[in-house]
Amino acid sequence: MVVCVCNAIRERDVRQAARAGAVSACQAYEACGKRAKCGQCVPFARAIIDEERAAA
């Protein structure tokens, strides 16, 4: 599933970044070499990161 259309960031990318230590959407995007643009995806990215942190 695509999380960020602006940057073509997929859910698996955000999950991988969260597993690698990203605790915010901005950190996850930086791990992908991108930056949030319009911001519409940030709440969804945060939810994915929270999910991964809870499972860890």
Side-chain angles (χ1 to χ4, degrees), residues 1 7-8 13 17 22 25-26 28-29 31 33-34 36-38 41-43 45-46 48-49 52:
M1 173 183 298
N7 287 308
D13 301 324
C26 288
Y29 292 2
K34 309 286 183 170
K37 291 183 181 180
C38 74
C41 55
V42 172
R46 274 193 206 131
I48 293 168
I49 293 166
E52 285 297 320

Side-chain angles (χ1 to χ4, degrees), residues 1-5 7 9-19 22-30 32 35-37 39-53:
M1 173 183 298
V2 175
V3 173
C4 177
V5 175
N7 287 308
I9 297 174
R10 298 192 172 276
E11 182 177 349
R12 68 173 179 251
D13 301 324
V14 175
R15 289 190 184 281
Q16 183 177 18
R19 290 182 198 127
V23 296
S24 70
C26 288
Q27 288 177 349
Y29 292 2
E30 285 176 17
C32 297
R35 292 179 54 184
K37 291 183 181 180
Q40 291 293 316
C41 55
V42 172
F44 184 44
R46 274 193 206 131
I48 293 168
I49 293 166
D50 291 345
E51 209 175 274
E52 285 297 320
R53 294 185 73 209

